[in-house]
Every structure is written in structure tokens, then in C-alpha cells.
């Protein structure tokens, strides 16, 4: 199963950032390393669709999602708009996750900018979402959201 944006980078301009996914039971575990550009979002949209289609063959949705950010979470307004569109697409296709938790370490580059926008993006599609500083706190919250 293709599980990184590296495998979907097909734009003339290189993608900045990297996203890697794997499935652990009903939890999609994501490692995201920024900063992120539009080309990365294009690769992520392709990865997300292919990954979920393959995952649903072995595990029934809905999934929980744990996204751990490293290095930077910095993204432009255009990237955050593309993120909002990705969430809308997943919701419309019946692939919205039961809940998503971001792990954003204290003082990570771009957090003050992107985290509030991400919260608005998830709220706009009524998708349970929270931001945590530690993986343990994020996992604990996700497990309380599991059906």
C-alpha cells in the first residue's frame, strides 16, 4: 500500500513537506513534517483517497485519526483552504473520520497560525477535532471518541 506523499508527488514544482500514514486497528496514524505547500496538498489528496480505499477493504470505517506534526506545521492560506476542501471531499464521500487529534508540540513553527484555521476547517464540516501537545493525551481523547 502506498503510504507517503512522496509516492504521489507528480507536480512540476517539488512538494514541500511530507506525510506518511499507516493503519493501527481502526486508527490512522499520520506523521506530518512541514512546512507544507500546495504541491504537498495535491499529493496528500491523492494519498488520502487511495489509502482510505485500501484501508476500507480490511477495516470498516469510521476511523480515528492521530496526526503527529514534526519540524513545522507552517502552511499558507492556500494550503489551509485546500485542507478545508479535502475535509469537505472526505465528508461528502462518506469517508470522514470519527475524530481527528493533532499532536503539535509547544512552539512548533507555524502552530499559532495554522492550528486555529485547522479548528475552523474541522468545525465547518462537524468533524470532532482537538489539538494536543503529547501523543498520550491525543490517544486518550481519541479512545474516548471511539464507538
Amino acid at each position: 500500500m502506498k503510504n507517503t506523499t512522496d509516492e504521489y508527488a507528480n507536480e512540476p514544482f517539488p512538494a514541500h513537506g511530507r506525510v506518511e500514514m499507516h493503519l493501527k486497528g481502526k486508527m490512522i496514524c499520520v506523521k506530518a513534517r512541514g512546512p507544507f505547500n500546495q504541491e504537498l496538498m495535491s499529493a496528500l489528496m491523492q494519498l488520502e483517497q487511495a489509502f482510505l480505499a485500501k484501508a476500507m477493504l480490511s477495516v470498516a470505517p469510521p476511523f480515528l485519526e492521530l496526526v503527529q506534526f514534526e519540524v513545522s506545521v507552517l502552511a499558507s492560506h492556500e494550503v489551509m483552504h485546500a485542507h478545508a476542501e479535502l475535509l469537505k471531499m472526505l465528508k461528502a464521500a462518506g469517508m470522514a473520520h470519527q475524530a481527528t487529534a493533532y499532536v503539535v508540540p509547544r512552539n512548533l513553527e507555524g502552530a499559532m497560525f495554522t492550528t486555529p484555521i485547522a479548528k475552523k476547517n474541522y468545525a465547518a464540516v462537524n468533524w470532532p477535532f482537538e489539538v494536543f501537545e503529547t501523543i498520550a493525551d491525543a490517544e486518550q481523547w481519541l479512545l474516548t471518541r471511539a464507538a
Side-chain angles (χ1 to χ4, degrees):
M1 177 188 307
K2 291 181 177 181
N3 70 339
T4 72
T5 50
D6 297 346
E7 297 163 297
Y8 293 93
N10 56 7
E11 300 285 332
F13 188 73
H16 294 166
R18 183 175 198 271
V19 176
E20 178 181 338
M21 300 177 174
H22 72 274
L23 193 59
K24 180 177 157 185
K26 288 186 70 104
M27 187 177 298
I28 298 170
C29 299
V30 179
K31 285 194 178 182
R33 184 181 327 122
F36 307 103
N37 67 0
Q38 276 295 106
E39 289 74 14
L40 184 276
M41 284 305 299
S42 176
L44 178 59
M45 289 179 130
Q46 294 174 65
L47 168 61
E48 191 91 38
Q49 287 179 317
F51 185 88
L52 288 174
K54 183 78 170 179
M56 289 190 305
L57 295 176
S58 59
V59 179
F63 298 102
L64 299 168
E65 182 181 44
L66 175 66
V67 183
Q68 181 182 359
F69 287 93
E70 302 171 335
V71 182
S72 173
V73 70
L74 190 62
S76 68
H77 283 288
E78 293 80 17
V79 168
M80 295 309 293
H81 177 74
H83 174 258
E85 293 303 310
L86 174 61
L87 295 178
K88 289 176 191 173
M89 177 195 71
L90 292 172
K91 186 87 171 188
M95 293 190 212
H97 305 319
Q98 194 166 358
T100 295
Y102 279 9
V103 179
V104 180
R106 185 182 310 265
N107 299 323
L108 191 66
E109 179 186 51
M112 291 181 68
F113 168 70
T114 56
T115 302
I117 297 171
K119 287 180 181 181
K120 288 179 188 174
N121 289 350
Y122 282 97
V125 292
N126 197 30
W127 184 317
F129 171 77
E130 287 292 335
V131 178
F132 301 90
E133 287 190 28
T134 69
I135 293 172
D137 289 343
E139 286 179 336
Q140 182 179 353
W141 179 79
L142 283 169
L143 293 176
T144 67
R145 305 297 301 188

